[in-house]
Every structure is written in structure tokens, then in C-alpha cells.
Amino acid sequence: KFSIHQSASADILNLYDGTDVAMSVLDGGNVLIGGITTAESLIGITPKVQIEGLGYAASSLSLFNNANDSNGAYLYLGKSRGTSLNSDTIVQDGDAVGGINFVAADGVDRVSRIAGIFAVVDGTPGADDTPGELLFYTVADGAQALGSSAQMVIKSSGKVGIGTTAPDQLLVSAGTGN
């Protein structure tokens, strides 16, 4: 049985599942799912929606499409250079359009990013023409931040670089060893 209560001590709207907080909406619009009551900062940002649970099922997000067609479920990450809601200002070469960050608790906080995958504009965009590339980053042992260059790239041309972000052939593996 669910119940909704506004906190008397703060501007928080809580949705309860029995006596446990199932979801909170904080002043400022942050949505917390899983009984957490404070929005947490991760790698320098505080995400608007946060899910925290005990076990992988309680801390997972699922998108599933049940339709008699060939479409799946989709997650869209987008970017505009606009400065207002619903703005369609054109992006520029090098702009990160979206990314997935993998963040680990290190016993002190949750700001240790261990890897990331980013989609970046790879060339000059125009109307209905925006080239893109995927960049894959990892963090070396003893470091806390992503390296300054990607470990692997898939360019808009289809060229793949491992150990280089500027492959000049279909597949390039660059390194100092065998």
C-alpha cells in the first residue's frame, strides 16, 4: 500500500511503500528512487534522477518494448548549444553529445570514474548532417580520472583506432610493444 507525505522539516515529497520511502522528490526537482533521501554528487555533478538499491535488481533500470514490430527500446542522449529549453542550436565539431560514465565507490566517496564511453561530433555539422564518433576511455591503476586520450575510437568514417584517436586505415592498433 502506497502513501504520499510531504516532509515537515524540508521541501521533500516522499512516496512510501508501507513504512519505507520508495521515492522522493526534493526541492529543486531531484528524483530519488530506492529510499535515499539526499541527492549525491558523482564526478562533479548531481544527477536529477538517482536510483539506489540493495542488489543489482533493485538498482537497475529497464526499458522494454512489447510491440509486434521490428523496433526495440531506445535510450536517447542529446545535445544542443541552445541556452533555453527546446532550443535546437547547432552543435560543433568536438562537442560531446552524450556519454556513459562508470563510477565506483572507493571507500571515501563516489567520484572515481573507472571508464567512459562518449559520443562526440566528428566534423562540421549541418542540416540533417552530423558526423559522429565513439570514444572509449579507461582509467589506469593509481589514477582517478579518465586519461587525456581515448583508448579506442570508432570514427565517423568507420575507421577504428586502438591506442590512437586518429586512425588512417580501417583498423589501426598503435602501441610501444609487440
Side-chain angles (χ1 to χ4, degrees), residues 35-50:
I36 50 179
T37 58
T38 303
E40 290 205 54
S41 179
L42 303 171
I43 60 170
I45 66 162
T46 302
K48 279 292 199 185
V49 177
Q50 298 181 28

Side-chain angles (χ1 to χ4, degrees), residues 79-148:
K79 164 82 173 131
S80 165
R81 282 196 166 240
T83 57
S84 62
L85 296 177
N86 299 312
S87 176
D88 291 326
T89 305
I90 194 167
V91 293
Q92 296 179 13
D93 186 22
D95 281 0
V97 174
I100 302 171
N101 286 294
F102 300 90
V103 181
D106 62 7
V108 177
D109 53 30
R110 297 177 184 195
V111 299
S112 292
R113 187 169 18 184
I114 64 166
I117 303 170
F118 301 93
V120 176
V121 177
D122 184 29
T124 303
D128 297 324
D129 175 22
T130 310
E133 66 184 7
L134 284 176
L135 298 164
F136 297 81
Y137 289 84
T138 58
V139 175
D141 190 20
Q144 184 181 19
L146 295 178
S148 60

Side-chain angles (χ1 to χ4, degrees), residues 143-158:
Q144 184 181 19
L146 295 178
S148 60
S149 64
Q151 298 298 314
M152 186 173 106
V153 63
I154 302 173
K155 301 292 285 180
S156 60
S157 63

Side-chain angles (χ1 to χ4, degrees), residues 11-95:
D11 290 331
I12 301 173
L13 184 64
N14 290 317
L15 174 65
Y16 287 86
D17 181 8
T19 59
D20 297 325
V21 175
M23 183 172 80
S24 298
V25 179
L26 307 180
D27 181 26
N30 288 68
V31 177
L32 312 175
I33 300 171
I36 50 179
T37 58
T38 303
E40 290 205 54
S41 179
L42 303 171
I43 60 170
I45 66 162
T46 302
K48 279 292 199 185
V49 177
Q50 298 181 28
I51 300 171
E52 186 162 338
L54 298 172
Y56 71 90
S59 55
S60 296
L61 175 66
S62 172
L63 305 172
F64 203 93
N65 178 4
N66 290 298
N68 187 13
D69 59 27
S70 61
N71 295 315
Y74 299 94
L75 176 64
Y76 292 91
L77 305 175
K79 164 82 173 131
S80 165
R81 282 196 166 240
T83 57
S84 62
L85 296 177
N86 299 312
S87 176
D88 291 326
T89 305
I90 194 167
V91 293
Q92 296 179 13
D93 186 22
D95 281 0

